[in-house]
């Protein structure tokens, strides 16, 4: 197999999900982001956000009154144990099984779990195996 190099953190700036039940989504995402080590960034009655993820009601100004369609979001996990913890937290906080933790055929070492969030979005946590990160994150200060 030809060696390949994956880059993360340079393509997506942010993603917005517009949901039916913000409270259910807040409970779900707070739980999975907690086990992934990502703190919530802020919230109001119409939205919440964490890093690149912004979740709002259809009534928020940014949503223009429409729900988003079904999406697949894959969150990075630091190790296999974090993928397992993500899966358990998701199921305990309103998520539905869409693929238990395990290796996937995408590339050697690809270990992931899949759940459906309260709106039916396919949410994944993935650990790509041993890798050396060039940076923990990109920091933007304003």
């Amino acid at each position: 197999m030809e060696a390949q190099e994956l880059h993360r953190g340079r393509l997506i700036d942010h993603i917005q999900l517009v949901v039916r039940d913000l409270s259910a989504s807040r409970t779900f995402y707070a739980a999975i982001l907690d086990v992934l080590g990502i703190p919530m960034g802020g919230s109001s009655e119409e939205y919440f956000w964490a890093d690149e993820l912004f979740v709002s009601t259809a009534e928020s100004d940014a949503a223009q009154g429409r729900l988003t369609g079904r999406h697949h979001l894959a969150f990075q996990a630091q190790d296999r144990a974090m993928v397992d913890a993500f899966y358990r937290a998701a199921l305990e906080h309103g998520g539905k099984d869409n693929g238990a933790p395990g290796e996937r055929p995408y590339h050697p070492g690809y270990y992931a779990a899949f759940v459906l969030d309260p709106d039916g979005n396919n949410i994944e946590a993935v650990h790509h195996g041993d890798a050396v990160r060039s940076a923990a994150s990109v920091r933007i200060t304003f």
Side-chain angles (χ1 to χ4, degrees):
M1 173 183 240
E2 180 182 323
Q4 295 185 8
E5 182 177 87
L6 297 175
H7 291 264
R8 295 293 181 256
R10 68 180 185 182
L11 177 62
I12 303 297
D13 184 78
H14 65 277
I15 295 169
Q16 179 181 4
L17 296 178
V18 182
V19 300
R20 288 185 301 266
D21 184 341
L22 190 66
S23 178
S25 291
R26 188 186 327 263
T27 298
F28 173 83
Y29 283 99
I32 66 169
L33 292 172
D34 183 56
V35 299
L36 294 172
I38 306 297
M40 294 298 275
S43 66
S44 79
E45 290 183 13
E46 294 184 340
Y47 67 84
F48 63 89
W49 64 274
D51 285 4
E52 296 90 354
L53 179 64
F54 184 84
V55 180
S56 72
T57 65
E59 292 77 32
S60 70
D61 290 338
Q64 300 177 345
R66 293 187 301 263
L67 298 174
T68 48
R70 187 172 185 268
H71 294 287
H72 174 148
L73 302 180
F75 293 108
Q76 298 176 43
Q78 295 173 1
D79 52 36
R80 289 177 173 216
M82 189 176 273
V83 171
D84 296 343
F86 156 88
Y87 182 75
R88 287 190 305 272
L91 297 183
E92 292 169 3
H93 293 89
K96 293 186 173 101
D97 172 59
N98 200 31
E103 288 211 22
R104 301 298 196 265
Y106 309 130
H107 68 68
Y110 195 110
Y111 186 84
F114 299 84
V115 297
L116 298 178
D117 77 0
D119 281 82
N121 293 298
N122 184 25
I123 308 301
E124 173 186 2
V126 58
H127 175 64
H128 289 282
D130 293 334
V132 176
R133 283 189 164 272
S134 59
S137 66
V138 174
R139 291 184 177 186
I140 299 170
T141 304
F142 55 92

